[in-house]
Amino acid sequence: MAPSMHPRLLGLPTEIFSIVLGHITDPEDYFRLAFTCRDMFNTLNPNRECVVLDARRLRWWIEQFRPEGRARRQLLGMGNVSFLSYWLKHYHEQEPNPFVQRTLEVYQEVFPEALHGTIPDSPVEGLDPLAVAAIDAENLGAFVILLERRLAPSLKDMGPLYKIMAVGSPVIANWLLAKGIKCPADNPSL
């Protein structure tokens, strides 16, 4: 977009400007539009709206490709269709940066199923909780962040099950063991 278009686009009546924005479905396109000038950035709030669009795109993708039967799905098997799947594959820090924190908060608000998993017969049926995907990605950082932010069931509630799931992830399995979590076979009281 030519620089001379910015004042004209921002000068549109609010209703028309909202209609134009309503046709943007790709977070990257929204981001690029927001960064065309300072006034546009201040008007559009891309930090939140790009995540909302990302969540909508992920929900659409999940609804389009439903699993057969009672199969479960994970974000990892979906390629880089969302920030969450990219985060699990590439971001292994245990301290979330402000962008990760905001993104998880917005996802919790607009598409909590992406974090907590889904129940049968929901429109996005068969999606595993993000903590399960973090274990499968062997991403201890993401797993810890989800636990600390209470976006995954606690170790007290799910610890032994997490331990069973972490059999293929020695880093997470050892971390759970250091936290005192044992497999049910190791603990007859379970």
Side-chain angles (χ1 to χ4, degrees):
M1 182 179 300
S4 62
M5 291 296 290
H6 299 162
R8 286 191 271 172
L9 189 56
L10 286 171
L12 289 172
T14 305
E15 299 81 16
I16 294 174
F17 190 63
S18 296
I19 290 170
V20 170
L21 292 178
H23 286 282
I24 299 175
T25 59
D26 188 282
E28 289 86 7
D29 290 343
Y30 195 94
F31 184 78
R32 285 186 203 100
L33 177 63
F35 276 87
T36 55
C37 71
R38 184 181 316 265
D39 290 337
M40 189 71 77
F41 181 86
N42 293 333
T43 301
L44 295 183
N45 187 12
N47 293 331
R48 178 179 170 19
E49 293 305 315
C50 287
V51 177
V52 169
L53 290 172
D54 186 66
R56 285 183 188 153
R57 177 174 58 185
L58 177 60
R59 179 184 284 277
W60 175 87
W61 197 93
I62 290 168
E63 289 174 354
Q64 298 304 308
F65 302 101
R66 298 184 116 200
E68 294 190 23
R70 293 279 182 216
R72 303 295 297 170
R73 292 178 294 180
Q74 290 186 7
L75 290 173
L76 289 179
M78 299 179 193
N80 286 330
V81 297
S82 79
F83 166 75
L84 293 178
S85 57
Y86 182 85
W87 175 57
L88 288 176
K89 291 177 186 175
H90 303 290
Y91 185 85
H92 290 267
E93 302 297 321
Q94 289 187 26
E95 292 297 320
N97 65 36
F99 176 75
V100 170
Q101 286 179 266
R102 279 193 309 273
T103 300
L104 292 173
E105 289 166 7
V106 173
Y107 257 95
Q108 175 67 18
E109 178 187 329
V110 299
F111 189 26
E113 300 93 335
L115 303 175
H116 303 290
T118 56
I119 57 173
D121 301 323
S122 76
V124 288
E125 178 180 350
L127 186 63
D128 275 337
L130 196 58
V132 173
I135 291 170
D136 283 351
E138 299 183 35
N139 189 332
L140 177 61
F143 185 64
V144 170
I145 289 168
L146 292 168
L147 288 170
E148 288 176 351
R149 302 272 180 264
R150 294 188 176 113
L151 297 173
S154 71
L155 292 179
K156 180 182 175 195
D157 295 335
M158 293 280 291
L161 187 56
Y162 288 148
K163 180 77 167 141
I164 291 169
M165 287 186 255
V167 167
S169 174
V171 172
I172 295 176
N174 289 335
W175 182 84
L176 289 167
L177 191 59
K179 295 286 186 185
I181 305 299
K182 298 180 180 175
C183 287
D186 299 338
N187 189 348
S189 66
L190 291 177

